[in-house]
Amino acid sequence: MSYKKYKKFEPVKLENREWPSKTIDKAPIWCSVDLRDGNQALPVPMNVDKKTKMFNLLKDMGFKEIEVGFPSASKAEFEFTRKLIEENMLDDDMTIQVLTQAREKLIAKTFDAIDGCKRAIVHVYNSTSTLQRKVVFKKNRKEIIDIAVEGVKLVKEFAKKSNVEEITLEYSPESFTGTELDFALEICEAVIATWNPTKENKIIINLPATVEMSMPNIYADQIEWFCKNISCRENVIISVHTHNDRGTGVAATELAMLAGADRVEGTLFGNGERTGNLDLLTVAMNLYSQGINPRLNIIDINNIINIYEECTMLKVHERHPYAGELVYTAFSGSHQDAIKKGLDCYNNENNDYWEVPYLPINPADIGREYEAIIRINSQSGKGGIAYILESQYGYKLPKKMHPEVGTIVQKVTDNTGKELNPNEILNIFTKEYIEQENSAIVLNNFTSKIENKKAKLKDVEVTMVAELTFKNEEKTIKGKGNGPIAAFVNGVRELNIPKFKLVEYEEHSMNGGADAQAVAYIGLINENGVTKYGIGKDSNINLASIKALISAVNRHMK
Ligand code: KIV
Ligand code: ZN
């Protein structure tokens, strides 16, 4: 069997591991590598205009450290770095990061690229993995350490001559996850000894899961082991940079934060080589959803998506955590019902904490809308339909009416097999109840008059005259009662209509202000015990009720 050719990843020998009982209580130092690692993995890499747009987005989001490119690798990368500096595009509290291999010519070019900037992180890397040493470089451990140390010496020399006020060194033992831990430590210690960091001028040691090779707990063990064994930990910022080959890049980063990582590198929506880099937004939103300030401005996710899609020409997947088009949409009826109840409870009880079933965060926090939460298909329940009619269109249906409306809408979804949007639901609802076609009774005119022949106000008698079309014939009916509705009920019985009894009446106003409309809901039960509802809408509450009654009778006569 072919799986037998794969080896199990060796666990880390870590006694008394501590990360499993730790918690995350603050955001890490973020570093976006969208413009370098993300960009190099795009089918069509960003041009200077797109890089500028992406840079401005990252800056608006509050990234203080941004890897802007690999300036020695191409003219475009070099020019973009120059543009940022020459056009003063960096805020005072921002630091650009530039990647270089540990080779003199490339380091020299990198320093040319950052000339004149206030602060920069020079990021030197070389691959250290067992496999790459053997098959790519054909070098032993010492020779690989020499590459790193020589590179760092050169950076030190160039830094002395440079006019950049503050230079931080970042060193990455590339393919860290495929490197023996003792060797990763040895090479990093050699780099540290060469650079000589202090508490005030720390070195960044970045430990990349260049390829995600194991479960995230093993990466966390590697990070904890490294943090515990490195000398002068206080002079070192431990950075993590996970890729997503096993689909657990986010988990690996979060566990690595428990294990001691101070800094996190990644990209928006996880763009990057193969299955991508770490998705920074997901980690930030995960912190946010735990009540931790993510220290990134993520409140307009739609804008972030738009710029990301324009610059990368990639699409954010519909199911992408927090951002996907469908992630605040419930298709199942029971989910919809629970969400409606949760939202009602949250809105009515002024809760301090967000607790709504199936919605880990309030979509409105990041510029998404409640309207998109529920769509109706043949799997949806009555609660979801009532929720749409109330939340989007203001109809507060009596509870007992929900099943009837649900059945009517679901008949359409069953027949078409299609999902309905809120507007289509409203159309079905309006046609059935409010703007009925081919109905038995159409009200053309209605007048009523109060006659008070008796002494007390409560003894008034109302007479009404209604002009109707009944089964295509014009009719005038008259009736008396203690109010206009009762008078109409008495009058309409003159027509040849089934006998009914009123079992439900509710009303409310809609819109408010000068054009306020009253909506009335009436339930009529016929002689066979079948209840059907009608709805009337008018600026006059009496007329709204009469229209509701006619609507219910018409539905009984269909
Ligand atoms: O994934 C990786 O190892 C890298 C390094 C250059 C840090 O991108
Ligand atoms: Zn990478």
Side-chain angles (χ1 to χ4, degrees):
M1 295 267 296
S2 55
Y3 69 82
K4 292 199 168 162
K5 67 172 174 280
Y6 298 104
K7 268 192 303 211
K8 200 180 206 152
F9 198 91
E10 279 298 312
V12 178
K13 289 190 187 74
L14 180 67
E15 303 223 319
N16 307 323
R17 63 176 56 71
E18 291 173 47
W19 65 260
S21 45
K22 296 235 165 107
T23 55
I24 299 174
D25 339 280
K26 65 174 187 3
I29 303 165
W30 301 111
C31 175
S32 150
V33 295
D34 287 87
L35 294 164
R36 196 280 298 171
D37 217 355
N39 188 47
Q40 77 185 38
L42 289 175
V44 184
M46 290 179 250
N47 59 21
V48 170
D49 281 352
K50 284 188 175 167
K51 271 196 147 195
T52 307
K53 201 159 198 180
M54 176 65 92
F55 176 84
N56 285 330
L57 170 69
L58 297 167
K59 179 170 150 181
D60 290 347
M61 289 176 68
F63 283 99
K64 302 298 173 204
E65 296 183 3
I66 301 175
E67 190 162 79
V68 296
F70 196 152
S72 61
S74 77
K75 199 161 162 268
E77 299 275 293
F78 186 89
E79 278 172 5
F80 178 67
T81 314
R82 293 305 315 147
K83 176 184 159 103
L84 294 176
I85 298 164
E86 283 163 19
E87 296 180 16
N88 285 323
M89 290 171 65
L90 295 152
D91 286 346
D92 276 354
D93 59 351
M94 286 175 73
T95 309
I96 50 168
Q97 178 166 315
V98 280
L99 183 74
T100 178
Q101 283 174 355
R103 302 217 308 261
E104 179 159 12
K105 246 179 144 175
L106 305 184
I107 294 172
K109 187 96 184 147
T110 305
F111 272 87
D112 287 346
I114 57 171
D115 186 62
C117 103
K118 201 169 164 201
R119 220 180 289 115
I121 299 169
V122 176
H123 181 183
V124 179
Y125 75 97
N126 67 321
S127 187
T128 54
S129 74
T130 327
L131 181 64
Q132 292 213 39
R133 291 195 322 259
K134 183 173 131 200
V135 303
V136 183
F137 305 108
K138 307 194 178 1
K139 285 191 191 313
N140 63 28
R141 286 184 174 206
K142 161 126 189 1
E143 288 164 320
I144 295 289
I145 293 176
D146 287 346
I147 295 173
V149 168
E150 285 314 308
V152 172
K153 279 186 187 158
L154 286 165
V155 172
K156 215 170 168 178
E157 276 168 33
F158 277 100
K160 270 192 207 140
K161 290 183 272 173
S162 150
N163 62 7
V164 179
E165 282 173 35
E166 212 180 299
I167 289 185
T168 302
L169 175 72
E170 171 167 338
Y171 172 69
S172 293
E174 204 236 274
S175 301
F176 164 76
T177 42
T179 305
E180 308 87 329
L181 271 177
D182 66 321
F183 179 56
L185 183 66
E186 191 183 347
I187 194 166
C188 289
E189 291 284 17
V191 163
I192 292 169
T194 311
W195 185 253
N196 211 5
T198 61
K199 243 187 189 165
E200 291 69 43
N201 191 4
K202 296 187 191 202
I203 187 172
I204 301 169
I205 294 291
N206 186 47
L207 302 173
T210 306
V211 178
E212 184 171 58
M213 302 169 86
S214 68
M215 280 167 61
N217 62 309
I218 292 188
Y219 186 60
D221 279 356
Q222 290 169 325
I223 301 299
E224 183 170 318
W225 184 92
F226 197 94
C227 288
K228 282 180 167 166
N229 285 284
I230 190 142
S231 57
C232 61
R233 173 72 181 86
E234 66 285 3
N235 300 344
V236 179
I237 293 171
I238 296 290
S239 175
V240 288
H241 173 121
T242 58
H243 282 261
N244 196 36
D245 300 80
R246 297 169 51 97
T248 54
V250 166
T253 289
E254 290 181 333
L255 299 193
M257 284 162 69
L258 294 177
D262 309 299
R263 184 178 185 270
V264 165
E265 292 191 348
T267 59
L268 302 182
F269 307 112
N271 172 44
E273 292 282 6
R274 308 178 308 280
T275 50
N277 279 72
L278 163 81
D279 175 9
L280 290 168
L281 278 175
T282 298
V283 178
M285 287 305 301
N286 284 351
L287 292 173
Y288 179 88
S289 72
Q290 298 295 303
I292 298 165
N293 184 346
R295 306 212 173 276
L296 282 181
N297 177 5
I298 39 189
I299 56 168
D300 191 357
I301 199 114
N302 293 339
N303 180 50
I304 299 172
I305 295 169
N306 289 341
I307 297 178
Y308 166 84
E309 290 190 341
E310 187 192 329
C311 294
T312 61
M313 296 203 275
L314 299 179
K315 255 204 77 51
V316 173
H317 194 276
E318 287 88 336
R319 300 284 180 199
H320 195 100
Y322 301 104
E325 203 180 312
L326 294 178
V327 299
Y328 305 109
T329 305
F331 287 88
S332 126
S334 65
H335 290 206
Q336 291 167 10
D337 192 48
I339 290 171
K340 177 180 159 30
K341 287 176 179 146
L343 286 173
D344 285 349
C345 180
Y346 178 75
N347 292 328
N348 294 337
E349 290 183 7
N350 262 335
N351 289 328
D352 288 337
Y353 294 107
W354 174 259
E355 274 183 325
V356 174
Y358 304 106
L359 290 180
I361 61 151
N362 183 346
D365 290 356
I366 51 169
R368 302 296 284 265
E369 288 178 4
Y370 290 129
E371 289 94 63
I373 291 172
I374 300 170
R375 292 182 186 178
I376 302 302
N377 62 16
S378 58
Q379 301 304 304
S380 307
K382 52 192 169 31
I385 295 160
Y387 176 74
I388 295 242
L389 290 168
E390 180 172 340
S391 63
Q392 305 220 11
Y393 304 109
Y395 290 100
K396 298 178 189 157
L397 307 186
K399 187 112 187 93
K400 287 193 189 143
M401 196 178 169
H402 291 190
E404 184 183 279
V405 179
T407 309
I408 289 161
V409 174
Q410 275 181 337
K411 214 161 152 191
V412 179
T413 56
D414 283 345
N415 288 344
T416 60
K418 263 179 48 193
E419 175 190 287
L420 297 175
N421 64 34
N423 201 34
E424 289 166 325
I425 293 166
L426 179 71
N427 284 342
I428 296 166
F429 171 79
T430 310
K431 266 204 179 138
E432 179 70 29
Y433 292 100
I434 303 169
E435 290 164 14
Q436 295 169 322
E437 286 169 6
N438 306 323
S439 50
I441 306 173
V442 179
L443 180 67
N444 301 323
N445 196 19
F446 177 88
T447 50
S448 63
K449 205 162 68 189
I450 301 174
E451 291 180 30
N452 191 355
K453 293 180 191 146
K454 309 197 178 149
K456 290 181 192 152
L457 197 56
K458 71 176 173 60
D459 293 331
V460 293
E461 190 174 65
V462 172
T463 61
M464 75 86 208
V465 180
E467 289 167 21
L468 311 162
T469 308
F470 179 66
K471 296 187 175 170
N472 299 325
E473 260 184 60
E474 304 295 315
K475 300 245 176 203
T476 301
I477 58 165
K478 294 182 180 166
K480 287 183 186 192
N482 57 6
I485 302 161
F488 182 82
V489 170
N490 291 332
V492 85
R493 289 192 201 279
E494 285 172 22
L495 303 174
N496 186 18
I497 59 170
K499 287 210 168 85
F500 59 78
K501 226 167 76 192
L502 193 139
V503 285
E504 178 106 23
Y505 177 81
E506 276 187 29
E507 49 156 285
H508 63 81
S509 66
M510 240 178 163
N511 307 340
D515 65 342
Q517 297 265 303
V519 186
Y521 307 86
I522 279 179
L524 297 181
I525 188 165
N526 68 10
E527 284 181 316
N528 301 325
V530 176
T531 299
K532 289 194 174 176
Y533 286 82
I535 302 177
K537 195 169 152 189
D538 201 280
S539 54
N540 175 312
I541 179 61
N542 290 327
L543 268 180
S545 306
I546 287 160
K547 285 180 180 176
L549 191 102
I550 294 171
S551 156
V553 174
N554 281 338
R555 296 193 59 249
H556 269 296
M557 291 180 73
K558 253 195 198 165

